[in-house]
mmCIF file of all heavy atoms in Angstrom:
data_model
loop_
_atom_site.group_PDB
_atom_site.id
_atom_site.type_symbol
_atom_site.label_atom_id
_atom_site.label_comp_id
_atom_site.label_asym_id
_atom_site.label_seq_id
_atom_site.Cartn_x
_atom_site.Cartn_y
_atom_site.Cartn_z
ATOM 1 N N THR A 1 88.108 112.288 120.441
ATOM 2 C CA THR A 1 88.874 112.239 119.148
ATOM 3 C C THR A 1 88.968 110.882 118.589
ATOM 4 O O THR A 1 89.277 109.888 119.357
ATOM 5 C CB THR A 1 90.329 112.863 119.376
ATOM 6 O OG1 THR A 1 90.195 114.204 119.904
ATOM 7 C CG2 THR A 1 91.118 112.812 118.116
ATOM 8 N N PHE A 2 88.820 110.766 117.328
ATOM 9 C CA PHE A 2 88.827 109.482 116.656
ATOM 10 C C PHE A 2 89.966 109.487 115.574
ATOM 11 O O PHE A 2 89.843 110.284 114.578
ATOM 12 C CB PHE A 2 87.600 109.092 115.850
ATOM 13 C CG PHE A 2 86.398 108.821 116.945
ATOM 14 C CD1 PHE A 2 85.639 109.868 117.428
ATOM 15 C CD2 PHE A 2 86.088 107.537 117.377
ATOM 16 C CE1 PHE A 2 84.645 109.679 118.312
ATOM 17 C CE2 PHE A 2 85.099 107.283 118.227
ATOM 18 C CZ PHE A 2 84.280 108.376 118.666
ATOM 19 N N GLU A 3 90.989 108.723 115.745
ATOM 20 C CA GLU A 3 92.101 108.649 114.744
ATOM 21 C C GLU A 3 91.664 107.615 113.677
ATOM 22 O O GLU A 3 91.058 106.625 113.974
ATOM 23 C CB GLU A 3 93.404 108.250 115.470
ATOM 24 C CG GLU A 3 93.899 109.229 116.408
ATOM 25 C CD GLU A 3 95.240 108.702 117.042
ATOM 26 O OE1 GLU A 3 95.771 107.647 116.566
ATOM 27 O OE2 GLU A 3 95.755 109.460 117.902
ATOM 28 N N GLY A 4 92.008 107.916 112.448
ATOM 29 C CA GLY A 4 91.645 107.061 111.393
ATOM 30 C C GLY A 4 90.139 107.006 111.131
ATOM 31 O O GLY A 4 89.678 105.986 110.853
ATOM 32 N N TRP A 5 89.430 108.116 111.268
ATOM 33 C CA TRP A 5 88.028 108.172 111.146
ATOM 34 C C TRP A 5 87.568 107.574 109.840
ATOM 35 O O TRP A 5 88.069 107.906 108.790
ATOM 36 C CB TRP A 5 87.468 109.609 111.345
ATOM 37 C CG TRP A 5 86.012 109.690 111.118
ATOM 38 C CD1 TRP A 5 85.385 110.128 109.970
ATOM 39 C CD2 TRP A 5 84.975 109.310 112.084
ATOM 40 N NE1 TRP A 5 84.065 110.023 110.208
ATOM 41 C CE2 TRP A 5 83.726 109.497 111.433
ATOM 42 C CE3 TRP A 5 85.049 108.717 113.384
ATOM 43 C CZ2 TRP A 5 82.568 109.284 112.061
ATOM 44 C CZ3 TRP A 5 83.815 108.549 113.989
ATOM 45 C CH2 TRP A 5 82.611 108.754 113.360
ATOM 46 N N GLY A 6 86.582 106.712 109.859
ATOM 47 C CA GLY A 6 86.075 106.104 108.717
ATOM 48 C C GLY A 6 86.513 104.629 108.585
ATOM 49 O O GLY A 6 85.869 103.803 107.903
ATOM 50 N N THR A 7 87.641 104.345 109.251
ATOM 51 C CA THR A 7 88.123 103.010 109.211
ATOM 52 C C THR A 7 87.744 102.144 110.422
ATOM 53 O O THR A 7 88.052 100.939 110.389
ATOM 54 C CB THR A 7 89.720 103.041 109.184
ATOM 55 O OG1 THR A 7 90.226 103.561 110.352
ATOM 56 C CG2 THR A 7 90.238 103.886 107.969
ATOM 57 N N HIS A 8 87.022 102.734 111.395
ATOM 58 C CA HIS A 8 86.520 102.033 112.542
ATOM 59 C C HIS A 8 87.690 101.656 113.528
ATOM 60 O O HIS A 8 87.358 100.846 114.467
ATOM 61 C CB HIS A 8 85.694 100.839 112.148
ATOM 62 C CG HIS A 8 84.671 101.079 111.069
ATOM 63 N ND1 HIS A 8 83.548 101.767 111.330
ATOM 64 C CD2 HIS A 8 84.687 100.708 109.731
ATOM 65 C CE1 HIS A 8 82.891 101.768 110.208
ATOM 66 N NE2 HIS A 8 83.561 101.133 109.224
ATOM 67 N N SER A 9 88.852 102.054 113.347
ATOM 68 C CA SER A 9 89.955 101.707 114.131
ATOM 69 C C SER A 9 91.231 102.572 113.910
ATOM 70 O O SER A 9 91.411 102.912 112.830
ATOM 71 C CB SER A 9 90.296 100.196 113.945
ATOM 72 O OG SER A 9 91.513 99.842 114.652
ATOM 73 N N SER A 10 91.796 102.846 115.053
ATOM 74 C CA SER A 10 93.113 103.614 114.983
ATOM 75 C C SER A 10 94.269 102.726 114.548
ATOM 76 O O SER A 10 95.310 103.086 114.285
ATOM 77 C CB SER A 10 93.430 104.329 116.315
ATOM 78 O OG SER A 10 93.544 103.375 117.340
ATOM 79 N N ARG A 11 93.942 101.386 114.477
ATOM 80 C CA ARG A 11 94.981 100.386 114.157
ATOM 81 C C ARG A 11 94.631 99.646 112.898
ATOM 82 O O ARG A 11 95.037 98.450 112.770
ATOM 83 C CB ARG A 11 95.151 99.488 115.327
ATOM 84 C CG ARG A 11 95.578 100.150 116.606
ATOM 85 C CD ARG A 11 95.573 99.174 117.781
ATOM 86 N NE ARG A 11 94.291 98.842 118.111
ATOM 87 C CZ ARG A 11 93.956 97.917 119.124
ATOM 88 N NH1 ARG A 11 94.923 97.273 119.763
ATOM 89 N NH2 ARG A 11 92.681 97.614 119.402
ATOM 90 N N ALA A 12 93.878 100.173 112.029
ATOM 91 C CA ALA A 12 93.368 99.448 110.943
ATOM 92 C C ALA A 12 94.505 99.040 109.941
ATOM 93 O O ALA A 12 94.394 98.062 109.182
ATOM 94 C CB ALA A 12 92.346 100.269 110.152
ATOM 95 N N ASN A 13 95.620 99.788 109.875
ATOM 96 C CA ASN A 13 96.731 99.460 109.014
ATOM 97 C C ASN A 13 96.314 99.397 107.540
ATOM 98 O O ASN A 13 96.788 98.627 106.751
ATOM 99 C CB ASN A 13 97.366 98.074 109.458
ATOM 100 C CG ASN A 13 97.984 98.123 110.789
ATOM 101 O OD1 ASN A 13 98.474 99.180 111.216
ATOM 102 N ND2 ASN A 13 97.906 97.063 111.479
ATOM 103 N N ILE A 14 95.398 100.278 107.149
ATOM 104 C CA ILE A 14 95.038 100.430 105.785
ATOM 105 C C ILE A 14 95.669 101.711 105.325
ATOM 106 O O ILE A 14 95.218 102.829 105.561
ATOM 107 C CB ILE A 14 93.529 100.540 105.567
ATOM 108 C CG1 ILE A 14 92.859 99.239 106.232
ATOM 109 C CG2 ILE A 14 93.118 100.594 104.138
ATOM 110 C CD1 ILE A 14 91.289 99.244 106.212
ATOM 111 N N ASN A 15 96.758 101.551 104.588
ATOM 112 C CA ASN A 15 97.584 102.701 104.159
ATOM 113 C C ASN A 15 97.007 103.360 102.910
ATOM 114 O O ASN A 15 97.214 104.635 102.790
ATOM 115 C CB ASN A 15 99.013 102.271 103.833
ATOM 116 C CG ASN A 15 99.670 101.618 105.114
ATOM 117 O OD1 ASN A 15 99.467 102.156 106.267
ATOM 118 N ND2 ASN A 15 100.374 100.595 104.846
ATOM 119 N N ALA A 16 96.267 102.757 102.111
ATOM 120 C CA ALA A 16 95.754 103.349 100.989
ATOM 121 C C ALA A 16 94.269 103.819 101.178
ATOM 122 O O ALA A 16 93.563 103.377 102.098
ATOM 123 C CB ALA A 16 95.646 102.377 99.793
ATOM 124 N N ALA A 17 93.791 104.751 100.395
ATOM 125 C CA ALA A 17 92.399 105.197 100.377
ATOM 126 C C ALA A 17 91.566 104.018 99.895
ATOM 127 O O ALA A 17 92.013 103.157 99.173
ATOM 128 C CB ALA A 17 92.146 106.402 99.543
ATOM 129 N N TYR A 18 90.295 103.916 100.374
ATOM 130 C CA TYR A 18 89.472 102.823 99.924
ATOM 131 C C TYR A 18 88.022 103.326 99.736
ATOM 132 O O TYR A 18 87.608 104.383 100.226
ATOM 133 C CB TYR A 18 89.524 101.613 100.752
ATOM 134 C CG TYR A 18 89.051 101.805 102.218
ATOM 135 C CD1 TYR A 18 87.686 101.557 102.429
ATOM 136 C CD2 TYR A 18 89.835 102.206 103.284
ATOM 137 C CE1 TYR A 18 87.169 101.732 103.740
ATOM 138 C CE2 TYR A 18 89.326 102.366 104.562
ATOM 139 C CZ TYR A 18 87.933 102.128 104.824
ATOM 140 O OH TYR A 18 87.428 102.265 106.026
ATOM 141 N N LEU A 19 87.217 102.509 99.086
ATOM 142 C CA LEU A 19 85.805 102.694 98.727
ATOM 143 C C LEU A 19 84.935 101.664 99.317
ATOM 144 O O LEU A 19 85.283 100.506 99.240
ATOM 145 C CB LEU A 19 85.747 102.838 97.212
ATOM 146 C CG LEU A 19 84.353 103.331 96.615
ATOM 147 C CD1 LEU A 19 84.204 104.863 96.863
ATOM 148 C CD2 LEU A 19 84.361 103.014 95.103
ATOM 149 N N THR A 20 83.832 102.042 99.770
ATOM 150 C CA THR A 20 82.818 101.050 100.354
ATOM 151 C C THR A 20 81.580 101.234 99.560
ATOM 152 O O THR A 20 81.104 102.297 99.166
ATOM 153 C CB THR A 20 82.566 101.247 101.801
ATOM 154 O OG1 THR A 20 81.829 102.387 102.103
ATOM 155 C CG2 THR A 20 83.867 101.268 102.654
ATOM 156 N N MET A 21 80.947 100.051 99.361
ATOM 157 C CA MET A 21 79.604 100.026 98.801
ATOM 158 C C MET A 21 78.789 98.987 99.391
ATOM 159 O O MET A 21 79.338 97.977 99.984
ATOM 160 C CB MET A 21 79.665 99.731 97.253
ATOM 161 C CG MET A 21 80.232 100.923 96.425
ATOM 162 S SD MET A 21 80.152 100.618 94.639
ATOM 163 C CE MET A 21 81.527 99.516 94.409
ATOM 164 N N ALA A 22 77.512 99.140 99.404
ATOM 165 C CA ALA A 22 76.616 98.106 100.081
ATOM 166 C C ALA A 22 75.496 97.651 99.117
ATOM 167 O O ALA A 22 75.085 98.386 98.310
ATOM 168 C CB ALA A 22 75.978 98.790 101.351
ATOM 169 N N ALA A 23 75.170 96.384 99.296
ATOM 170 C CA ALA A 23 74.082 95.836 98.564
ATOM 171 C C ALA A 23 72.806 95.771 99.571
ATOM 172 O O ALA A 23 72.676 94.837 100.307
ATOM 173 C CB ALA A 23 74.386 94.455 98.134
ATOM 174 N N GLY A 24 72.070 96.881 99.576
ATOM 175 C CA GLY A 24 70.859 96.950 100.430
ATOM 176 C C GLY A 24 69.678 96.347 99.799
ATOM 177 O O GLY A 24 69.606 96.111 98.583
ATOM 178 N N ILE A 25 68.674 96.058 100.676
ATOM 179 C CA ILE A 25 67.461 95.394 100.169
ATOM 180 C C ILE A 25 66.836 96.231 99.032
ATOM 181 O O ILE A 25 66.708 97.465 99.174
ATOM 182 C CB ILE A 25 66.513 95.133 101.369
ATOM 183 C CG1 ILE A 25 65.400 94.113 100.951
ATOM 184 C CG2 ILE A 25 65.857 96.473 101.918
ATOM 185 C CD1 ILE A 25 64.538 93.639 102.019
ATOM 186 N N GLY A 26 66.310 95.612 97.996
ATOM 187 C CA GLY A 26 65.748 96.219 96.860
ATOM 188 C C GLY A 26 66.686 96.475 95.740
ATOM 189 O O GLY A 26 66.294 96.859 94.631
ATOM 190 N N ILE A 27 68.030 96.317 95.970
ATOM 191 C CA ILE A 27 69.070 96.447 94.924
ATOM 192 C C ILE A 27 68.852 95.331 93.881
ATOM 193 O O ILE A 27 68.444 94.260 94.185
ATOM 194 C CB ILE A 27 70.490 96.474 95.494
ATOM 195 C CG1 ILE A 27 71.469 96.940 94.440
ATOM 196 C CG2 ILE A 27 70.853 95.095 96.013
ATOM 197 C CD1 ILE A 27 72.818 97.213 94.993
ATOM 198 N N GLU A 28 69.211 95.643 92.594
ATOM 199 C CA GLU A 28 69.176 94.686 91.511
ATOM 200 C C GLU A 28 70.462 94.556 90.840
ATOM 201 O O GLU A 28 71.345 95.488 90.901
ATOM 202 C CB GLU A 28 68.027 95.126 90.453
ATOM 203 C CG GLU A 28 66.608 95.171 91.159
ATOM 204 C CD GLU A 28 65.603 95.676 90.159
ATOM 205 O OE1 GLU A 28 65.989 96.145 89.079
ATOM 206 O OE2 GLU A 28 64.434 95.658 90.508
ATOM 207 N N LYS A 29 70.718 93.441 90.048
ATOM 208 C CA LYS A 29 71.920 93.228 89.391
ATOM 209 C C LYS A 29 72.101 94.360 88.406
ATOM 210 O O LYS A 29 73.321 94.769 88.151
ATOM 211 C CB LYS A 29 71.898 91.832 88.677
ATOM 212 C CG LYS A 29 72.121 90.712 89.599
ATOM 213 C CD LYS A 29 72.175 89.373 88.828
ATOM 214 C CE LYS A 29 72.537 88.236 89.785
ATOM 215 N NZ LYS A 29 72.714 86.939 89.070
ATOM 216 N N ALA A 30 71.140 94.890 87.811
ATOM 217 C CA ALA A 30 71.269 96.017 86.795
ATOM 218 C C ALA A 30 71.894 97.212 87.483
ATOM 219 O O ALA A 30 72.652 97.969 86.832
ATOM 220 C CB ALA A 30 69.908 96.369 86.256
ATOM 221 N N ASP A 31 71.629 97.386 88.817
ATOM 222 C CA ASP A 31 72.228 98.533 89.497
ATOM 223 C C ASP A 31 73.718 98.342 89.613
ATOM 224 O O ASP A 31 74.492 99.297 89.433
ATOM 225 C CB ASP A 31 71.577 98.632 90.872
ATOM 226 C CG ASP A 31 70.081 98.941 90.876
ATOM 227 O OD1 ASP A 31 69.711 99.787 90.001
ATOM 228 O OD2 ASP A 31 69.453 98.460 91.696
ATOM 229 N N VAL A 32 74.144 97.132 89.893
ATOM 230 C CA VAL A 32 75.607 96.777 89.958
ATOM 231 C C VAL A 32 76.282 97.011 88.618
ATOM 232 O O VAL A 32 77.376 97.579 88.694
ATOM 233 C CB VAL A 32 75.751 95.357 90.499
ATOM 234 C CG1 VAL A 32 77.270 94.983 90.488
ATOM 235 C CG2 VAL A 32 75.137 95.161 91.863
ATOM 236 N N ASP A 33 75.608 96.671 87.600
ATOM 237 C CA ASP A 33 76.191 96.840 86.295
ATOM 238 C C ASP A 33 76.473 98.285 85.924
ATOM 239 O O ASP A 33 77.449 98.680 85.470
ATOM 240 C CB ASP A 33 75.268 96.248 85.158
ATOM 241 C CG ASP A 33 75.149 94.697 85.245
ATOM 242 O OD1 ASP A 33 76.108 94.125 85.786
ATOM 243 O OD2 ASP A 33 74.199 94.127 84.769
ATOM 244 N N VAL A 34 75.513 99.130 86.327
ATOM 245 C CA VAL A 34 75.658 100.534 86.146
ATOM 246 C C VAL A 34 76.808 101.100 86.944
ATOM 247 O O VAL A 34 77.607 101.916 86.554
ATOM 248 C CB VAL A 34 74.308 101.302 86.405
ATOM 249 C CG1 VAL A 34 74.499 102.868 86.411
ATOM 250 C CG2 VAL A 34 73.219 100.921 85.462
ATOM 251 N N VAL A 35 76.764 100.710 88.246
ATOM 252 C CA VAL A 35 77.845 101.137 89.157
ATOM 253 C C VAL A 35 79.205 100.812 88.625
ATOM 254 O O VAL A 35 80.170 101.614 88.625
ATOM 255 C CB VAL A 35 77.696 100.559 90.522
ATOM 256 C CG1 VAL A 35 78.912 100.731 91.483
ATOM 257 C CG2 VAL A 35 76.462 101.126 91.288
ATOM 258 N N MET A 36 79.366 99.572 88.179
ATOM 259 C CA MET A 36 80.750 99.116 87.670
ATOM 260 C C MET A 36 81.131 99.917 86.485
ATOM 261 O O MET A 36 82.292 100.248 86.272
ATOM 262 C CB MET A 36 80.633 97.578 87.393
ATOM 263 C CG MET A 36 80.399 96.701 88.647
ATOM 264 S SD MET A 36 81.536 97.016 89.871
ATOM 265 C CE MET A 36 83.094 96.662 89.125
ATOM 266 N N GLU A 37 80.195 100.183 85.611
ATOM 267 C CA GLU A 37 80.475 100.976 84.379
ATOM 268 C C GLU A 37 81.014 102.393 84.810
ATOM 269 O O GLU A 37 81.999 102.850 84.204
ATOM 270 C CB GLU A 37 79.190 101.089 83.532
ATOM 271 C CG GLU A 37 79.360 102.018 82.283
ATOM 272 C CD GLU A 37 78.179 102.217 81.530
ATOM 273 O OE1 GLU A 37 77.122 101.465 81.708
ATOM 274 O OE2 GLU A 37 78.019 103.210 80.796
ATOM 275 N N LYS A 38 80.372 103.039 85.785
ATOM 276 C CA LYS A 38 80.725 104.301 86.204
ATOM 277 C C LYS A 38 82.061 104.271 86.986
ATOM 278 O O LYS A 38 82.914 105.202 86.922
ATOM 279 C CB LYS A 38 79.589 104.969 87.080
ATOM 280 C CG LYS A 38 78.318 105.141 86.351
ATOM 281 C CD LYS A 38 78.472 106.086 85.126
ATOM 282 C CE LYS A 38 77.162 106.286 84.473
ATOM 283 N NZ LYS A 38 77.191 107.212 83.240
ATOM 284 N N LEU A 39 82.265 103.265 87.791
ATOM 285 C CA LEU A 39 83.485 103.139 88.570
ATOM 286 C C LEU A 39 84.679 103.002 87.662
ATOM 287 O O LEU A 39 85.724 103.585 87.948
ATOM 288 C CB LEU A 39 83.321 101.892 89.525
ATOM 289 C CG LEU A 39 84.561 101.626 90.414
ATOM 290 C CD1 LEU A 39 84.941 102.894 91.296
ATOM 291 C CD2 LEU A 39 84.394 100.430 91.290
ATOM 292 N N ILE A 40 84.585 102.159 86.649
ATOM 293 C CA ILE A 40 85.660 102.026 85.679
ATOM 294 C C ILE A 40 85.945 103.298 84.988
ATOM 295 O O ILE A 40 87.098 103.725 84.842
ATOM 296 C CB ILE A 40 85.268 100.878 84.675
ATOM 297 C CG1 ILE A 40 85.239 99.590 85.356
ATOM 298 C CG2 ILE A 40 86.291 100.925 83.481
ATOM 299 C CD1 ILE A 40 84.693 98.433 84.505
ATOM 300 N N GLU A 41 84.941 104.066 84.636
ATOM 301 C CA GLU A 41 85.138 105.382 84.049
ATOM 302 C C GLU A 41 85.850 106.315 84.933
ATOM 303 O O GLU A 41 86.785 106.980 84.476
ATOM 304 C CB GLU A 41 83.733 105.893 83.739
ATOM 305 C CG GLU A 41 83.676 107.338 83.098
ATOM 306 C CD GLU A 41 82.313 107.844 82.908
ATOM 307 O OE1 GLU A 41 81.433 107.152 82.492
ATOM 308 O OE2 GLU A 41 82.077 109.060 83.230
#
């Protein structure tokens, strides 16, 4: 059993929901611009 699954720790003390994103190889600045536009929306 894993408490706080997704946070990598049962003691993470992150009370709010959160979002993760990664900049993997091959990503371009234009991709980030599109992501930010959609995230704001």
Side-chain angles (χ1 to χ4, degrees):
T1 300
F2 294 85
E3 295 181 5
W5 176 258
T7 64
H8 313 288
S9 175
S10 59
R11 298 172 291 175
N13 295 326
I14 301 173
N15 298 320
Y18 66 89
L19 188 72
T20 70
M21 290 186 285
I25 193 165
I27 193 172
E28 299 177 354
K29 284 186 176 180
D31 297 321
V32 176
D33 292 337
V34 173
V35 169
M36 295 307 299
E37 177 186 340
K38 299 298 182 182
L39 179 58
I40 290 170
E41 179 184 316

